Amino acid sequence: MPRAMWEGAVSFGLIVIPVKLYGATEPVDVPLHQVHGVDGGRIRYRRVCEICGQEVPYDQIDRGYTAADGRVVVLTKQDLEQLPLASKGTVEISTFVDESEIDPVYFEKTYLIEAKGVGVKPYVLLRDALAKTGKAGVVKVALRTRESLALIRPRGDLLVMDTMLWPDEVRDPSFAAPDTEVHASPAEVTMAETFIGQMSGHWEPSEYTDSYRAALEALVTAKLEGATVPEPVKTEGGGEVVDLMAALRASVEAAKKRGHASSGKSSGSDKDEAAAG
């Protein structure tokens, strides 16, 4: 079982729910580290003070802020822990909103919320009420060394907390918008809608795999066993699209063929199962 990274309480109105918070995700990757290419020796980094030249143990490292005039303000762990944050131990739901109102660009990380002791009943109450109303609760929470906006929402039998960026941390996207003079014709939009319809399906996370990680694991295994390193798979890059409608029609036809091939495989395997039965 993972270790709780925060303990506190969630409150709404006069109801207080003692909870623990756990990371909802766990990165899975091939662990690589830096080595000297000549002899394979591990590259190590040392924390060295640029003034006295001494290596500094982690427990003696504090935070610092450099002002515009060059002066450095040292902030100790005690300074940071004593900041007057109401959200440090208890998060209070200030507003209930429709989750669909929030642009996904604001979402940062998801945490699992576990009820403690007497908090189970109000936890279930909040979960069921949010699920029934389609709402999520907006809170502020202090995790580690910063305060974040967050959203508490139901996820199956659980409540989860999604930390979010502050509005001033979200970049104004207008610079990346296409020229307002460029328009897609109604026929092009209709054809694109047809293509989207052909390619639509249900979200099945298990159908997606990390191809890069698989290739990296194969490369590491080959090198460990002294085998031939796998040849990279060559893919043809897409050329410049000259006729948009022709490209859309070709895309729709290709999607139809893929759909027929999948249907054929399904019906074929159904026949085999019937014959076997």
Side-chain angles (χ1 to χ4, degrees), residues 127-198:
R127 179 200 67 192
D128 292 352
L130 289 176
K132 206 160 189 177
T133 57
K135 298 288 186 180
V138 179
V139 301
K140 291 199 297 183
V141 59
L143 299 176
R144 297 192 175 95
T145 59
R146 61 170 295 188
E147 185 178 55
S148 298
L149 268 178
L151 199 69
I152 293 178
R153 61 183 174 85
R155 180 187 173 202
D157 293 334
L158 291 174
L159 285 172
V160 297
M161 178 187 291
D162 299 300
T163 54
M164 299 191 298
L165 300 172
W166 294 100
D168 59 359
E169 294 178 303
V170 177
R171 182 172 286 149
D172 180 355
S174 58
F175 73 93
D179 191 324
T180 54
E181 299 301 316
V182 177
H183 300 282
S185 71
E188 289 168 340
V189 173
T190 300
M191 187 63 72
E193 289 175 348
T194 303
F195 175 65
I196 290 171
Q198 290 287 339

Side-chain angles (χ1 to χ4, degrees), residues 35-58:
V35 298
H36 186 195
V38 174
D39 54 21
R42 184 80 175 263
I43 304 297
R44 303 284 183 181
Y45 289 91
R46 295 178 178 175
R47 302 178 182 91
V48 178
C49 174
E50 65 178 18
I51 294 178
C52 66
Q54 293 183 0
E55 187 173 351
V56 183
Y58 185 78

